[in-house]
Amino acid sequence: MHSGWRAFSGAPGMMTIPVEKGKEAGAAAVAAAAAVSGCLRDGVMASAGGTYRLRCSLVGHELDVRGLSCSLFPTGSFVSVSRDRTARLWAPDSPSRGFTEVHCMSGHSNFVSCVCVIPPSELYPHGLIATGGNDSNICIFALDNSTPLYVLKGHKNTVCSLSSGKFGTLLSGSWDTTAKVWLNDKCMMTLQGHTAAVWAVKILPEQGLMLTGSADKTIKLWKAGRCESTFTGHEDCVRGLAVLSETEFLSCANDASIRRWQISGECLQVYYGHTNYIYCISVFPQSRDFVTTGEDRSLRIWRKGECTQTVRLPAQSIWCCCVLDNGDIVVGASDGIIRVFTESLERTASLEEIQAFENELSQATIDPKTGDLGDINADELPGREHLDEPGTRDGQTRLIKDDGKVEAYQWSISEGRWMKIGDVVGSSGATQQTSGKVLFEGKEYDYVFTIDVNEGGPSYKLPYNISDDPWLTAYNFLQKNDLNPMFLDQVAKFIIDNTKGQTLGPTNTVFSDPFTGGGRYVPGSSSGSNEGPAADPFTGTGRYVPGSASDPAAPQSGADPLTGTAAYKLAATKAENIYFPKKEAVTFDQANPIQILGKLKELNRSAPEEQQLTEDDLGLLEKMLSITCNTSLEAPTAQQLQTLWKAINWPNDIVFPALDILRLSIRHPNVNESFCSEKDGMQFTSHLIKFLNPGGKQANQMLALRIFCNCFIHPVGQKLMMSQGDLIMSQAIELKMSSSKNIHVALATLALNYAVCLHKTSNIEGKAQCLSLISTVIEVVQDPEAVFRLLVALGTLISGDSNAVQLAKSLGVDSQIKKYSSVSEPAKVNECCRFVLNLL
């Protein structure tokens, strides 16, 4: 063996140690939590609505049913997806109580994990079906075709959640910690901010608002692609989201709790009842009532904030649920069977079907460590005579000992009898080896091994689930950590030796979650919780202040730099769009060189001695300013450029006149090419971005924005601005709350110049980011000139691009700008807004 590796074989000095499994919390704590909301440990409160009974059981999938979604066509239908790599469309029989599989779709190379239905469009009047899978892809199906119309690629790991919105928008969440916004077959934007897998996504009714829930235990609210707020409170991975209204939503998590939130950030209520992971939550149509499913073998129905019915199922993991328009509830489970429950007596299953379901339920086995049965001492349990006494509430659970076996029964008010829900296994107090889980990088695993390399060298973590291939896991581990592949056999053998007897097969009772590796949740076993306009001193009457009324570079009331002095007046009499699409970049050109140089010389005396400019340096800058302001054919010298770079590195409180010289000089092709070249462009951009810090000086912020705007005037600068667009726009948007109208105008102009460049391309992700900038800024600015430039930017960006138009609609931009269509002055705002609305 190579000397750099510690032995894997168990010889003296072996340093590879399995991490201790998560410890189980006492059932008493769970019961106390459950009692808080009136959903007791041994049962539930009396039903406030009708009682749900079995309608039908649907067999078709060969493995776990992982996702469900109501379908718009045929009426009353739904779609299911499974680990068997298929999606299936089920339509109600008439007049039968059941459903028929009318369509089977396949296209994924691995198990399918989530599904949603995309609303109808002119092209697809019955809507589309979107499925996400473990192959990192999203397949889009038409209802009449078994193969995908197209496949969306972009995520780098399992796609585990999908949600659709207006205008065909699709939101996806993935194990790669990102969410993505899609329109048709293109990714419009990527939402980045979570530090672990994104397990739940939802598009809210208000256009542009989106929710993501993550294994980092947080929920994030996004507006136009930007994170507006982060919700904390869950103590474990967030698994599901459901919308109650435009202002409220629900979440469920691996901490066995459900939370009701306002989008403002306040948690309004916490509901307890489940005793294990809650995987899915779904809301009744036109109601605030909801249903949940989880790892405790149950479907739970919640009315007016209380658990009013618990329906047990003969499978350990109840992965998913959805509520049909008629109020019937569909659930999918780890046994591959879909079951539908109904309040309607007309749709209730036959006595034979109900008896078959009860028999299946009674033959199930229950592990007390994973359910809600509490600590069990078999010797103290009563016998069958205990069932002679009627229950006190629907869903109440009672345990008896019969012929040496422990059996669990649940009281049914509608039937007036105790129904057997399974045999309790492991009730002697023994603990299953795999009952605990280890959290690593936001996912649960059966094991996380520590591998030490060399004496005193680094340690590496090797996570492993019993459902994984040990050889593939070993290979990926070596690749990820850039370790010698010659150790493949030894690493794989080590995994096998240390997980002996732990395999996953068709008859396995572990029911490992293929998303998380987690099989069963014990509340309390989760590791930890989340830890969770300066004044310019150089001002005064008659003095040079960048961007002030006396600054010639500030927007002037005479000439409109976008349309010309009289252009928008002419538009008042002619219904002609003269505003967009804008073809050329807008720049900040006007200045008073004498005042700028005077301020530079004055502040030079305040500069640190090692940064002070000599008289020769000042002369070089004066000459450079003359060249760049007077359309001279003369090119600035290398010495002049070096002196300017030295000046713009002055301390923040005195650098603004140097930045103003740069603003004017960058318009010269030679200066533009020098500062924006491939060699120096990154350093130049990074330096300017520092001035965009929201806590910095407003003069510096404004001038940095203007410099970026002026870079667009030449191809080299334009190329740099586009390559760094993500970074520049992300930082610039932080200045939206500035109190300076000149900063708002510069920010709007930056958006406009990006729109001008993007208009010529099919870069939909770039357009999405620019739309996000426009949408975010136009919501807060009030200066008419800034609003006007943003409207021109919006019109330019979406002109001639139907995808961009749809994305703008989905972000709610049309509702944002409608108020400007009634503005009387200046007229150009009103007119431009109307032209943009015509596009939308």
PDB file of all heavy atoms in Angstrom, residues 17 74 172 185 272 403 444 447 604 635 742 772 825:
ATOM      1  N   ILE A  17     -13.046   6.106  10.820  1.00  0.00           N
ATOM      2  CA  ILE A  17     -14.004   5.797  11.878  1.00  0.00           C
ATOM      3  C   ILE A  17     -15.405   6.212  11.455  1.00  0.00           C
ATOM      4  O   ILE A  17     -15.614   7.357  11.059  1.00  0.00           O
ATOM      5  CB  ILE A  17     -13.632   6.555  13.175  1.00  0.00           C
ATOM      6  CG1 ILE A  17     -12.174   6.234  13.538  1.00  0.00           C
ATOM      7  CG2 ILE A  17     -14.572   6.196  14.303  1.00  0.00           C
ATOM      8  CD1 ILE A  17     -11.622   7.133  14.600  1.00  0.00           C
ATOM      9  N   PRO A  74     -57.660  15.283 -18.642  1.00  0.00           N
ATOM     10  CA  PRO A  74     -59.121  15.404 -18.554  1.00  0.00           C
ATOM     11  C   PRO A  74     -59.575  15.930 -17.183  1.00  0.00           C
ATOM     12  O   PRO A  74     -58.806  15.884 -16.214  1.00  0.00           O
ATOM     13  CB  PRO A  74     -59.598  13.966 -18.771  1.00  0.00           C
ATOM     14  CG  PRO A  74     -58.423  13.215 -19.329  1.00  0.00           C
ATOM     15  CD  PRO A  74     -57.213  13.893 -18.801  1.00  0.00           C
ATOM     16  N   SER A 172     -37.760  25.458 -10.761  1.00  0.00           N
ATOM     17  CA  SER A 172     -37.234  24.158 -10.345  1.00  0.00           C
ATOM     18  C   SER A 172     -36.252  24.323  -9.200  1.00  0.00           C
ATOM     19  O   SER A 172     -35.520  25.306  -9.125  1.00  0.00           O
ATOM     20  CB  SER A 172     -36.545  23.460 -11.524  1.00  0.00           C
ATOM     21  OG  SER A 172     -35.435  24.233 -11.990  1.00  0.00           O
ATOM     22  N   ASP A 185     -38.195  26.519 -23.455  1.00  0.00           N
ATOM     23  CA  ASP A 185     -37.045  25.617 -23.350  1.00  0.00           C
ATOM     24  C   ASP A 185     -35.773  26.331 -22.917  1.00  0.00           C
ATOM     25  O   ASP A 185     -34.673  25.826 -23.112  1.00  0.00           O
ATOM     26  CB  ASP A 185     -36.803  24.912 -24.688  1.00  0.00           C
ATOM     27  CG  ASP A 185     -36.531  25.893 -25.825  1.00  0.00           C
ATOM     28  OD1 ASP A 185     -36.753  27.102 -25.620  1.00  0.00           O
ATOM     29  OD2 ASP A 185     -36.106  25.452 -26.914  1.00  0.00           O
ATOM     30  N   TYR A 272     -48.392  20.976  15.143  1.00  0.00           N
ATOM     31  CA  TYR A 272     -47.739  19.709  15.438  1.00  0.00           C
ATOM     32  C   TYR A 272     -48.752  18.579  15.344  1.00  0.00           C
ATOM     33  O   TYR A 272     -49.938  18.767  15.608  1.00  0.00           O
ATOM     34  CB  TYR A 272     -47.122  19.718  16.838  1.00  0.00           C
ATOM     35  CG  TYR A 272     -46.009  20.710  17.006  1.00  0.00           C
ATOM     36  CD1 TYR A 272     -46.228  21.937  17.639  1.00  0.00           C
ATOM     37  CD2 TYR A 272     -44.731  20.428  16.538  1.00  0.00           C
ATOM     38  CE1 TYR A 272     -45.199  22.853  17.796  1.00  0.00           C
ATOM     39  CE2 TYR A 272     -43.697  21.342  16.687  1.00  0.00           C
ATOM     40  CZ  TYR A 272     -43.939  22.541  17.326  1.00  0.00           C
ATOM     41  OH  TYR A 272     -42.917  23.455  17.474  1.00  0.00           O
ATOM     42  N   ASP A 403     -51.306 -13.108  22.193  1.00  0.00           N
ATOM     43  CA  ASP A 403     -50.509 -14.285  21.848  1.00  0.00           C
ATOM     44  C   ASP A 403     -49.040 -13.934  21.657  1.00  0.00           C
ATOM     45  O   ASP A 403     -48.388 -14.374  20.702  1.00  0.00           O
ATOM     46  CB  ASP A 403     -51.078 -14.939  20.578  1.00  0.00           C
ATOM     47  CG  ASP A 403     -50.561 -16.368  20.385  1.00  0.00           C
ATOM     48  OD1 ASP A 403     -50.145 -16.979  21.390  1.00  0.00           O
ATOM     49  OD2 ASP A 403     -50.564 -16.847  19.230  1.00  0.00           O
ATOM     50  N   GLU A 444     -29.051  13.738   4.469  1.00  0.00           N
ATOM     51  CA  GLU A 444     -28.873  12.700   5.472  1.00  0.00           C
ATOM     52  C   GLU A 444     -28.274  11.443   4.862  1.00  0.00           C
ATOM     53  O   GLU A 444     -28.621  11.068   3.735  1.00  0.00           O
ATOM     54  CB  GLU A 444     -30.212  12.365   6.130  1.00  0.00           C
ATOM     55  CG  GLU A 444     -30.582  13.333   7.235  1.00  0.00           C
ATOM     56  CD  GLU A 444     -31.646  14.312   6.789  1.00  0.00           C
ATOM     57  OE1 GLU A 444     -32.181  14.119   5.684  1.00  0.00           O
ATOM     58  OE2 GLU A 444     -31.925  15.254   7.539  1.00  0.00           O
ATOM     59  N   TYR A 447     -24.202   6.580   6.819  1.00  0.00           N
ATOM     60  CA  TYR A 447     -22.861   6.649   7.390  1.00  0.00           C
ATOM     61  C   TYR A 447     -22.120   7.855   6.823  1.00  0.00           C
ATOM     62  O   TYR A 447     -22.324   8.229   5.673  1.00  0.00           O
ATOM     63  CB  TYR A 447     -22.037   5.390   7.036  1.00  0.00           C
ATOM     64  CG  TYR A 447     -22.609   4.099   7.544  1.00  0.00           C
ATOM     65  CD1 TYR A 447     -23.487   3.365   6.750  1.00  0.00           C
ATOM     66  CD2 TYR A 447     -22.267   3.606   8.800  1.00  0.00           C
ATOM     67  CE1 TYR A 447     -24.019   2.167   7.203  1.00  0.00           C
ATOM     68  CE2 TYR A 447     -22.789   2.413   9.267  1.00  0.00           C
ATOM     69  CZ  TYR A 447     -23.673   1.696   8.466  1.00  0.00           C
ATOM     70  OH  TYR A 447     -24.193   0.517   8.919  1.00  0.00           O
ATOM     71  N   ASN A 604      -5.106  67.125  -3.682  1.00  0.00           N
ATOM     72  CA  ASN A 604      -3.794  66.491  -3.760  1.00  0.00           C
ATOM     73  C   ASN A 604      -2.977  66.777  -2.512  1.00  0.00           C
ATOM     74  O   ASN A 604      -2.195  65.942  -2.058  1.00  0.00           O
ATOM     75  CB  ASN A 604      -3.059  66.971  -5.012  1.00  0.00           C
ATOM     76  CG  ASN A 604      -1.755  66.236  -5.235  1.00  0.00           C
ATOM     77  OD1 ASN A 604      -1.686  65.023  -5.102  1.00  0.00           O
ATOM     78  ND2 ASN A 604      -0.704  66.983  -5.563  1.00  0.00           N
ATOM     79  N   ALA A 635      -3.450  60.678 -29.063  1.00  0.00           N
ATOM     80  CA  ALA A 635      -3.707  59.574 -28.139  1.00  0.00           C
ATOM     81  C   ALA A 635      -3.009  59.843 -26.810  1.00  0.00           C
ATOM     82  O   ALA A 635      -1.848  60.279 -26.792  1.00  0.00           O
ATOM     83  CB  ALA A 635      -3.195  58.268 -28.727  1.00  0.00           C
ATOM     84  N   ASN A 742     -29.379  61.495  -8.671  1.00  0.00           N
ATOM     85  CA  ASN A 742     -28.337  61.318  -9.684  1.00  0.00           C
ATOM     86  C   ASN A 742     -27.833  59.874  -9.719  1.00  0.00           C
ATOM     87  O   ASN A 742     -27.467  59.364 -10.777  1.00  0.00           O
ATOM     88  CB  ASN A 742     -27.172  62.275  -9.419  1.00  0.00           C
ATOM     89  CG  ASN A 742     -27.532  63.711  -9.754  1.00  0.00           C
ATOM     90  OD1 ASN A 742     -28.237  63.981 -10.719  1.00  0.00           O
ATOM     91  ND2 ASN A 742     -27.075  64.645  -8.940  1.00  0.00           N
ATOM     92  N   SER A 772     -34.504  41.815 -14.103  1.00  0.00           N
ATOM     93  CA  SER A 772     -34.528  41.829 -12.641  1.00  0.00           C
ATOM     94  C   SER A 772     -34.050  43.172 -12.103  1.00  0.00           C
ATOM     95  O   SER A 772     -34.631  43.740 -11.173  1.00  0.00           O
ATOM     96  CB  SER A 772     -33.647  40.698 -12.095  1.00  0.00           C
ATOM     97  OG  SER A 772     -33.568  40.762 -10.692  1.00  0.00           O
ATOM     98  N   GLU A 825     -46.657  64.823 -16.480  1.00  0.00           N
ATOM     99  CA  GLU A 825     -45.374  65.466 -16.764  1.00  0.00           C
ATOM    100  C   GLU A 825     -44.234  64.639 -16.169  1.00  0.00           C
ATOM    101  O   GLU A 825     -44.351  64.155 -15.038  1.00  0.00           O
ATOM    102  CB  GLU A 825     -45.336  66.879 -16.166  1.00  0.00           C
ATOM    103  CG  GLU A 825     -46.272  67.866 -16.850  1.00  0.00           C
ATOM    104  CD  GLU A 825     -45.863  68.170 -18.282  1.00  0.00           C
ATOM    105  OE1 GLU A 825     -44.656  68.024 -18.591  1.00  0.00           O
ATOM    106  OE2 GLU A 825     -46.728  68.532 -19.080  1.00  0.00           O
TER     107      GLU A 825
END
